[in-house]
Amino acid sequence: MLTILGRKNSSNVQKLLWLCGEAGIPFQREDYGGPFGKTKDPAYLAKNPNALVPTIDDDGFVLWESNAIMRYLATKHGAEKLYPSELKRRADVERWLDWSLGTLSPAITPMFLGLYRTPEPQRDKAAIEASRLKTADAVRILDAELAKHPYVSGDSFTLADIACGIFAGYRWFNFPIERPDFPNTKAWYERLAQRAAFKEHVMIGIT
Ligand SMILES: N[C@@H](CCC(=O)N[C@@H](CS)C(=O)NCC(=O)O)C(=O)O
């Protein structure tokens, strides 16, 4: 049995829960991280020396780093549509997976930490604003791509939508901030919001 270690309100844990929902992968989940702590316990650190969530334990095979875990699970379960094997289709999905970790997530994270993890009087408003502008720059890139096709990596839903959808979809459109008009990204987010696994695992409030 696949065990996902990580709290369900973590964006990076949600990627795995959403993927499991989409691909029909059975799993159990244990709370780690945030208020549940335990990530600095020796037993957890032996599995994930970053002291971050998620980590998986798949019948003894331990792996951390959410996008790597998505690739592993999609490949193991033959989720060809979500993670196409054809070279150029795959390269395109990989590009967005890397972009989500290298550009999108670092852009939006300071805004998330400022708005949701810091009491109002202690907030660094300049850092929140810088993060808002950086995220808008990233979403602008996505918006141009989504003008060409309905999903991030083409005409069908893939891991690229999962990696980007929590940040540029649910969080970006629900943060209490001003947003430039990004009609293609908005329409994509509304398409994601029709999906049962997105509703169940991502649209649960931002906490
Ligand atoms: N690059 C890592 C980032 C993991 C990460 O930053 N996880 C956050 C939650 S989204 C975390 O563990 N925060 C500390 C905690 O929850 O205790 C991944 O994608 O798995």
mmCIF file of all heavy atoms in Angstrom, residues 58-78:
data_model
loop_
_atom_site.group_PDB
_atom_site.id
_atom_site.type_symbol
_atom_site.label_atom_id
_atom_site.label_comp_id
_atom_site.label_asym_id
_atom_site.label_seq_id
_atom_site.Cartn_x
_atom_site.Cartn_y
_atom_site.Cartn_z
ATOM 1 N N ASP A 58 6.209 3.509 -0.397
ATOM 2 C CA ASP A 58 5.428 2.625 -1.257
ATOM 3 C C ASP A 58 5.942 1.208 -1.059
ATOM 4 O O ASP A 58 6.883 0.782 -1.735
ATOM 5 C CB ASP A 58 5.579 3.081 -2.723
ATOM 6 C CG ASP A 58 4.628 2.351 -3.657
ATOM 7 O OD1 ASP A 58 3.580 1.873 -3.189
ATOM 8 O OD2 ASP A 58 4.931 2.277 -4.867
ATOM 9 N N ASP A 59 5.345 0.520 -0.096
ATOM 10 C CA ASP A 59 5.800 -0.840 0.255
ATOM 11 C C ASP A 59 7.309 -0.897 0.475
ATOM 12 O O ASP A 59 8.003 -1.764 -0.065
ATOM 13 C CB ASP A 59 5.396 -1.842 -0.843
ATOM 14 C CG ASP A 59 3.907 -2.144 -0.792
ATOM 15 O OD1 ASP A 59 3.326 -2.127 0.311
ATOM 16 O OD2 ASP A 59 3.327 -2.361 -1.870
ATOM 17 N N GLY A 60 7.811 0.100 1.213
ATOM 18 C CA GLY A 60 9.238 0.095 1.555
ATOM 19 C C GLY A 60 10.084 0.980 0.657
ATOM 20 O O GLY A 60 11.232 1.277 0.990
ATOM 21 N N PHE A 61 9.549 1.380 -0.493
ATOM 22 C CA PHE A 61 10.297 2.305 -1.360
ATOM 23 C C PHE A 61 9.962 3.731 -0.920
ATOM 24 O O PHE A 61 8.805 4.169 -0.994
ATOM 25 C CB PHE A 61 9.931 2.100 -2.838
ATOM 26 C CG PHE A 61 10.597 3.113 -3.746
ATOM 27 C CD1 PHE A 61 11.985 3.144 -3.879
ATOM 28 C CD2 PHE A 61 9.837 4.053 -4.439
ATOM 29 C CE1 PHE A 61 12.603 4.085 -4.703
ATOM 30 C CE2 PHE A 61 10.440 4.998 -5.265
ATOM 31 C CZ PHE A 61 11.828 5.015 -5.397
ATOM 32 N N VAL A 62 10.987 4.436 -0.457
ATOM 33 C CA VAL A 62 10.771 5.774 0.109
ATOM 34 C C VAL A 62 11.255 6.815 -0.887
ATOM 35 O O VAL A 62 12.328 6.675 -1.484
ATOM 36 C CB VAL A 62 11.539 5.900 1.450
ATOM 37 C CG1 VAL A 62 11.504 7.328 1.967
ATOM 38 C CG2 VAL A 62 10.960 4.936 2.471
ATOM 39 N N LEU A 63 10.444 7.874 -1.061
ATOM 40 C CA LEU A 63 10.816 8.925 -2.029
ATOM 41 C C LEU A 63 10.285 10.259 -1.526
ATOM 42 O O LEU A 63 9.178 10.336 -0.980
ATOM 43 C CB LEU A 63 10.195 8.586 -3.392
ATOM 44 C CG LEU A 63 10.691 9.385 -4.609
ATOM 45 C CD1 LEU A 63 12.169 9.100 -4.896
ATOM 46 C CD2 LEU A 63 9.857 9.039 -5.853
ATOM 47 N N TRP A 64 11.078 11.321 -1.702
ATOM 48 C CA TRP A 64 10.615 12.680 -1.419
ATOM 49 C C TRP A 64 10.823 13.531 -2.652
ATOM 50 O O TRP A 64 11.517 13.134 -3.573
ATOM 51 C CB TRP A 64 11.299 13.275 -0.192
ATOM 52 C CG TRP A 64 12.780 13.131 -0.080
ATOM 53 C CD1 TRP A 64 13.449 12.171 0.627
ATOM 54 C CD2 TRP A 64 13.794 13.969 -0.688
ATOM 55 N NE1 TRP A 64 14.806 12.361 0.503
ATOM 56 C CE2 TRP A 64 15.056 13.460 -0.291
ATOM 57 C CE3 TRP A 64 13.758 15.096 -1.492
ATOM 58 C CZ2 TRP A 64 16.264 14.033 -0.695
ATOM 59 C CZ3 TRP A 64 14.956 15.679 -1.901
ATOM 60 C CH2 TRP A 64 16.193 15.156 -1.508
ATOM 61 N N GLU A 65 10.222 14.706 -2.655
ATOM 62 C CA GLU A 65 10.211 15.690 -3.764
ATOM 63 C C GLU A 65 8.952 15.428 -4.600
ATOM 64 O O GLU A 65 8.872 14.464 -5.377
ATOM 65 C CB GLU A 65 11.483 15.597 -4.610
ATOM 66 C CG GLU A 65 11.878 16.907 -5.317
ATOM 67 C CD GLU A 65 11.954 18.139 -4.426
ATOM 68 O OE1 GLU A 65 12.717 18.178 -3.435
ATOM 69 O OE2 GLU A 65 11.218 19.104 -4.715
ATOM 70 N N SER A 66 7.966 16.324 -4.432
ATOM 71 C CA SER A 66 6.614 16.036 -4.937
ATOM 72 C C SER A 66 6.544 15.755 -6.437
ATOM 73 O O SER A 66 5.835 14.838 -6.862
ATOM 74 C CB SER A 66 5.669 17.182 -4.577
ATOM 75 O OG SER A 66 6.119 18.408 -5.136
ATOM 76 N N ASN A 67 7.280 16.510 -7.248
ATOM 77 C CA ASN A 67 7.173 16.259 -8.693
ATOM 78 C C ASN A 67 7.830 14.928 -9.080
ATOM 79 O O ASN A 67 7.342 14.230 -9.966
ATOM 80 C CB ASN A 67 7.774 17.421 -9.501
ATOM 81 C CG ASN A 67 6.866 18.648 -9.473
ATOM 82 O OD1 ASN A 67 5.834 18.650 -8.814
ATOM 83 N ND2 ASN A 67 7.254 19.691 -10.185
ATOM 84 N N ALA A 68 8.919 14.585 -8.389
ATOM 85 C CA ALA A 68 9.541 13.278 -8.639
ATOM 86 C C ALA A 68 8.581 12.156 -8.240
ATOM 87 O O ALA A 68 8.485 11.129 -8.931
ATOM 88 C CB ALA A 68 10.852 13.166 -7.868
ATOM 89 N N ILE A 69 7.862 12.373 -7.151
ATOM 90 C CA ILE A 69 6.898 11.351 -6.704
ATOM 91 C C ILE A 69 5.768 11.226 -7.739
ATOM 92 O O ILE A 69 5.335 10.120 -8.075
ATOM 93 C CB ILE A 69 6.335 11.707 -5.308
ATOM 94 C CG1 ILE A 69 7.458 11.705 -4.262
ATOM 95 C CG2 ILE A 69 5.231 10.724 -4.915
ATOM 96 C CD1 ILE A 69 7.060 12.292 -2.895
ATOM 97 N N MET A 70 5.327 12.369 -8.275
ATOM 98 C CA MET A 70 4.270 12.295 -9.309
ATOM 99 C C MET A 70 4.753 11.487 -10.507
ATOM 100 O O MET A 70 4.020 10.658 -11.048
ATOM 101 C CB MET A 70 3.856 13.697 -9.758
ATOM 102 C CG MET A 70 3.016 14.432 -8.740
ATOM 103 S SD MET A 70 1.887 15.609 -9.510
ATOM 104 C CE MET A 70 3.013 16.819 -10.179
ATOM 105 N N ARG A 71 5.990 11.738 -10.946
ATOM 106 C CA ARG A 71 6.524 10.989 -12.089
ATOM 107 C C ARG A 71 6.571 9.494 -11.782
ATOM 108 O O ARG A 71 6.212 8.665 -12.602
ATOM 109 C CB ARG A 71 7.946 11.470 -12.412
ATOM 110 C CG ARG A 71 8.036 12.881 -12.938
ATOM 111 C CD ARG A 71 9.519 13.259 -13.051
ATOM 112 N NE ARG A 71 9.726 14.464 -13.806
ATOM 113 C CZ ARG A 71 10.013 15.654 -13.260
ATOM 114 N NH1 ARG A 71 10.113 15.794 -11.950
ATOM 115 N NH2 ARG A 71 10.186 16.712 -14.028
ATOM 116 N N TYR A 72 7.036 9.173 -10.577
ATOM 117 C CA TYR A 72 7.140 7.762 -10.174
ATOM 118 C C TYR A 72 5.766 7.085 -10.174
ATOM 119 O O TYR A 72 5.584 6.010 -10.740
ATOM 120 C CB TYR A 72 7.792 7.693 -8.779
ATOM 121 C CG TYR A 72 7.625 6.365 -8.085
ATOM 122 C CD1 TYR A 72 8.378 5.250 -8.465
ATOM 123 C CD2 TYR A 72 6.698 6.217 -7.052
ATOM 124 C CE1 TYR A 72 8.201 4.034 -7.833
ATOM 125 C CE2 TYR A 72 6.516 4.999 -6.411
ATOM 126 C CZ TYR A 72 7.270 3.903 -6.811
ATOM 127 O OH TYR A 72 7.095 2.687 -6.185
ATOM 128 N N LEU A 73 4.793 7.739 -9.552
ATOM 129 C CA LEU A 73 3.469 7.120 -9.430
ATOM 130 C C LEU A 73 2.794 6.986 -10.798
ATOM 131 O O LEU A 73 2.182 5.957 -11.105
ATOM 132 C CB LEU A 73 2.581 7.935 -8.480
ATOM 133 C CG LEU A 73 2.974 7.902 -6.995
ATOM 134 C CD1 LEU A 73 2.085 8.840 -6.183
ATOM 135 C CD2 LEU A 73 2.880 6.468 -6.446
ATOM 136 N N ALA A 74 2.911 8.040 -11.616
ATOM 137 C CA ALA A 74 2.272 7.995 -12.941
ATOM 138 C C ALA A 74 2.903 6.879 -13.781
ATOM 139 O O ALA A 74 2.204 6.154 -14.495
ATOM 140 C CB ALA A 74 2.406 9.347 -13.634
ATOM 141 N N THR A 75 4.214 6.724 -13.684
ATOM 142 C CA THR A 75 4.901 5.682 -14.469
ATOM 143 C C THR A 75 4.539 4.299 -13.931
ATOM 144 O O THR A 75 4.178 3.394 -14.680
ATOM 145 C CB THR A 75 6.428 5.899 -14.408
ATOM 146 O OG1 THR A 75 6.708 7.223 -14.849
ATOM 147 C CG2 THR A 75 7.162 4.905 -15.301
ATOM 148 N N LYS A 76 4.587 4.157 -12.628
ATOM 149 C CA LYS A 76 4.284 2.856 -12.020
ATOM 150 C C LYS A 76 2.880 2.389 -12.391
ATOM 151 O O LYS A 76 2.658 1.212 -12.657
ATOM 152 C CB LYS A 76 4.415 2.948 -10.492
ATOM 153 C CG LYS A 76 4.025 1.654 -9.802
ATOM 154 C CD LYS A 76 4.208 1.649 -8.304
ATOM 155 C CE LYS A 76 3.632 0.346 -7.755
ATOM 156 N NZ LYS A 76 3.711 0.255 -6.307
ATOM 157 N N HIS A 77 1.929 3.319 -12.416
ATOM 158 C CA HIS A 77 0.535 2.947 -12.646
ATOM 159 C C HIS A 77 0.121 3.106 -14.111
ATOM 160 O O HIS A 77 -1.066 3.064 -14.425
ATOM 161 C CB HIS A 77 -0.372 3.731 -11.696
ATOM 162 C CG HIS A 77 -0.150 3.334 -10.261
ATOM 163 N ND1 HIS A 77 -0.789 2.260 -9.672
ATOM 164 C CD2 HIS A 77 0.695 3.820 -9.326
ATOM 165 C CE1 HIS A 77 -0.361 2.117 -8.420
ATOM 166 N NE2 HIS A 77 0.538 3.067 -8.179
ATOM 167 N N GLY A 78 1.094 3.314 -14.978
ATOM 168 C CA GLY A 78 0.793 3.372 -16.418
ATOM 169 C C GLY A 78 -0.178 4.477 -16.787
ATOM 170 O O GLY A 78 -1.007 4.305 -17.688
#
